[in-house]
Structures are given as C-alpha cells and as structure tokens.
Amino acid sequence: DLRDVTQIMTKNMEDLLWRGDSLDRMNTLTDNLRHHSEKYRKDTWKLNLEFLYRKYGIPAAILLGFLLVLYLRYKLF
C-alpha cells in the first residue's frame, strides 16, 4: 500500500513538473508572439504611410504649390 501511494505521488509530482515546464514554454512562445505581432503592426503602419506618400505625395505637392500661387496672386496683387 505504501509503495503504491509513493508511486502515485511520484507520478503526480512528475506530471506537475512536466506541466510546469510546458507552461513555461508556452509563456515564452506567447511573449515571442506578442513581440513579433507588435513589430508587424509597426512595420505595416510604416509601409502604409510610405505607400500613401508615394501615391499622393507628388499630386499633393503640386496642388499645394498651385494653391500657394493662387493665394499669393490674389492676396498680394
């Protein structure tokens, strides 16, 4: 009887240690995933902003230049 209880308790302790190791591993993986998702979010924001500059940058600069010329033309003269 005492051996059976000892074996059961030993097995339970081993299972707990294995679960603890698994939880530590899952915690590490979760931290890595959080870090990579934050990096991905920042990179996509930068890429989207760069895309907008490339798509609308030159037309916006031309339009602002044109509006500045009109403003100066009718404000000063």
Side-chain angles (χ1 to χ4, degrees):
D1 274 341
L2 190 56
R3 286 185 193 173
D4 291 338
V5 171
T6 304
Q7 287 175 350
I8 290 171
M9 291 302 292
T10 303
K11 183 174 180 347
N12 287 342
M13 292 301 283
E14 288 174 355
D15 288 345
L16 283 174
L17 290 174
W18 183 81
R19 282 187 213 138
D21 186 41
S22 295
L23 289 175
D24 289 341
R25 184 172 179 271
M26 289 300 290
N27 190 26
T28 303
L29 291 174
T30 303
D31 288 342
N32 287 341
L33 181 61
R34 185 178 298 120
H35 170 72
H36 288 298
S37 66
E38 181 68 24
K39 183 181 179 303
Y40 177 77
R41 186 184 66 79
K42 288 179 182 178
D43 289 346
T44 55
W45 186 82
K46 288 178 184 177
L47 284 173
N48 284 334
L49 191 60
E50 182 180 329
F51 172 73
L52 287 174
Y53 286 153
R54 286 184 181 193
K55 186 174 181 180
Y56 299 114
I58 291 175
I62 292 170
L63 180 65
L64 286 174
F66 180 72
L67 290 175
L68 181 65
V69 167
L70 285 178
Y71 175 77
L72 292 175
R73 168 77 172 96
Y74 291 107
K75 183 70 174 176
L76 297 177
F77 299 109

